[in-house]
């Protein structure tokens, strides 16, 4: 059985990142959906006519296009609706998608601008009985899945540090109206993967190391947590960096895991080659890291497996809302 799909939003994550030759492909919703043999792409909607024209050309005219989601839903009744619009349109477009009654909605992260909007989405999804999955892509990435399994080999977890460095502002109240700040846009990935790896919720942070620029925009912070599996969890973000970096450092009593964008390293306690009577951390060369992580393709496959009744959703709406609540606790501390 095949499933029909449409996409709302044919911009970067919806479409054009699929042409980035440096990224692992597929790197957009369009390309990931079309690469799956069980899915038939039948339509798209976007208010930008130039985006639509490029998208239609790419699909070789096999799918129809519309200038609004309302027009699309009045003509098509797909099994899968992917919502890949800007953050400030997530709630509106996701509610419309749910009310169109597909078998599933795939929503680009973050869920919404705030938890109040997210609750409206959750209530609507419950009312219409439409499951929603959120594209927290690292949950489907093979390197992070390997890391999650490898936790059993590094002893007791001593600390977990999640770091995200970029040049995008971290937070200021005036950017909440459209979500154009890194705490929401990028922080959702960082918080989600830490909670995924630990299988625990992050709550009650101690937010420190706050740096504001001359316009009172937050550019740096560190949020400290203590949870059952780990006495020290750090979420560190910088918006002053002249580079982009995303990574995790997990320190155990007998090993270490370091992974992020472009790297994955695993270490084990071994008799030291440097000091007599000591042990050192040595790279575990037995861990095989695949050249392709399958982060986007695996997300789409999870949706197909769910529709087939073979699997549960690995990134359901409820977990994504938990991520948003963690970010809001940090945001509240930054706003004080």
């Amino acid at each position: 059985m095949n499933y029909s799909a449409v996409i709302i939003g044919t911009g970067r994550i919806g479409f054009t990142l699929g042409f980035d030759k440096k990224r692992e492909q597929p790197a957009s919703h369009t390309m990931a959906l079309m690469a799956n043999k069980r899915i038939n792409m039948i339509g798209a909607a976007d208010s930008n006519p130039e985006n639509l024209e490029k998208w239609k050309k790419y699909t070789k005219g096999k799918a129809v296009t519309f200038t609004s989601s309302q027009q699309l839903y009045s003509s098509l009744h797909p099994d899968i609706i992917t919502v890949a619009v800007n953050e400030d349109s997530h709630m509106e477009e996701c509610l419309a998608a749910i009310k169109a009654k597909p078998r599933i909605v795939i929503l680009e992260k973050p869920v919404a601008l705030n938890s109040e909007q997210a609750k409206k989405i959750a209530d609507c999804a419950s009312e219409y009985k439409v499951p929603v999955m959120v594209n927290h892509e690292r949950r489907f990435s093979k390197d992070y899945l390997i890391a999650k399994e490898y936790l059993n080999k590094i002893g007791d977890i001593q600390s977990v540090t999640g770091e995200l460095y970029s040049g995008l502002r971290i937070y200021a109240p005036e950017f909440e109206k459209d979500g154009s700040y890194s705490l929401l846009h990028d922080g959702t990935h960082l918080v989600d993967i830490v909670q995924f790896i630990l299988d625990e919720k992050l709550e009650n942070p101690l937010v420190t190391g706050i740096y504001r620029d001359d316009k009172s925009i937050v550019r740096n912070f560190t949020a400290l947590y203590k949870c059952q599996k780990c006495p020290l969890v750090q979420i560190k973000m910088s918006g002053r960096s002249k580079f982009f970096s995303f990574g995790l450092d997990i320190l155990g009593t007998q090993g270490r895991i370091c992974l992020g964008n472009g790297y994955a390293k695993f270490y084990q306690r071994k008799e030291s080659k440097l000091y007599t009577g000591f042990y050192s951390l040595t790279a575990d060369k037995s861990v095989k890291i695949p050249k392709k992580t399958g982060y986007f393709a695996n997300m789409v496959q999870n949706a197909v497996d769910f529709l087939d009744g073979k699997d549960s959703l690995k990134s359901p709406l409820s977990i994504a809302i938990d991520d948003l609540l963690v970010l809001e606790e940090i945001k509240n501390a930054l706003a004080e």
Side-chain angles (χ1 to χ4, degrees), residues 75-331:
S75 300
L76 303 176
H77 303 284
D79 298 310
I80 302 170
I81 298 176
T82 293
V83 177
V85 295
N86 293 335
E87 285 92 338
D88 54 350
S89 296
H90 275 203
M91 182 183 71
E92 177 186 356
E93 289 297 347
C94 192
L95 291 177
I98 292 168
K99 292 174 183 178
K101 297 183 179 180
R103 295 192 178 198
I104 190 173
V105 171
I106 299 175
L107 175 62
E108 180 55 31
K109 63 77 192 172
V111 177
L113 293 178
N114 52 60
S115 58
E116 183 179 346
Q117 290 187 357
K119 185 178 185 303
K120 291 180 181 179
I121 292 174
D123 289 344
C124 186
S126 177
E127 178 183 352
Y128 284 83
K129 295 180 173 55
V130 174
V132 177
M133 72 181 299
V134 179
N135 183 31
H136 280 122
E137 59 195 36
R138 287 171 180 81
R139 286 176 172 262
F140 305 95
S141 185
K142 292 178 182 178
D143 49 354
Y144 284 93
L145 293 173
I146 290 171
K148 189 174 174 67
E149 292 184 3
Y150 199 82
L151 286 180
N152 296 325
K153 298 184 178 181
I154 66 171
D156 296 330
I157 302 175
Q158 299 186 73
S159 67
V160 174
T161 301
E163 300 177 319
L164 197 155
Y165 304 124
S166 75
L168 180 61
R169 55 188 170 249
I170 300 297
Y171 173 74
E174 59 263 34
F175 304 116
E176 289 192 50
K177 62 183 182 298
D178 61 3
S180 59
Y181 60 101
S182 187
L183 178 63
L184 180 69
H185 185 76
D186 300 310
T188 182
H189 277 310
L190 190 61
V191 165
D192 183 76
I193 199 59
V194 170
Q195 294 197 126
F196 172 72
I197 291 290
L198 290 174
D199 276 328
E200 285 199 56
K201 292 183 180 181
L202 301 179
E203 297 177 306
N204 303 317
L206 171 62
V207 181
T208 185
I210 301 172
Y211 173 85
R212 293 180 173 85
D213 63 19
D214 55 5
K215 296 182 180 179
S216 296
I217 297 172
V218 177
R219 293 288 180 177
N220 285 81
F221 78 86
T222 298
L224 306 176
Y225 300 87
K226 182 179 181 180
C227 57
Q228 197 168 26
K229 291 184 180 178
C230 180
L232 176 61
V233 178
Q234 301 180 83
I235 299 293
K236 303 172 70 175
M237 292 185 65
S238 166
R240 294 193 292 160
S241 305
K242 304 300 181 181
F243 57 88
F244 182 85
S245 177
F246 182 108
L248 293 184
D249 187 336
I250 307 170
L251 179 66
T253 54
Q254 298 187 53
R256 191 170 200 158
I257 302 170
C258 302
L259 75 163
N261 288 7
Y263 66 94
K265 300 177 182 179
F266 299 81
Y267 300 92
Q268 280 288 308
R269 169 185 177 270
K270 299 290 183 181
E271 187 173 343
S272 180
K273 296 180 180 180
L274 303 174
Y275 313 106
T276 301
F278 283 80
Y279 287 83
S280 298
L281 290 180
T282 302
D284 187 346
K285 297 182 180 179
S286 69
V287 181
K288 303 300 181 183
I289 306 299
K291 291 183 179 180
K292 296 194 70 172
T293 67
Y295 68 101
F296 230 125
N298 291 342
M299 183 274 293
V300 170
Q301 186 60 49
N302 180 229
V304 170
D305 291 341
F306 172 78
L307 293 177
D308 285 346
K310 297 178 180 178
D311 203 355
S312 60
L313 292 180
K314 303 302 184 185
S315 186
L317 177 63
S318 58
I319 289 178
I321 292 176
D322 286 342
D323 296 330
L324 190 56
L325 292 172
V326 172
L327 296 175
E328 287 193 345
E329 281 196 325
I330 296 173
K331 182 185 70 176

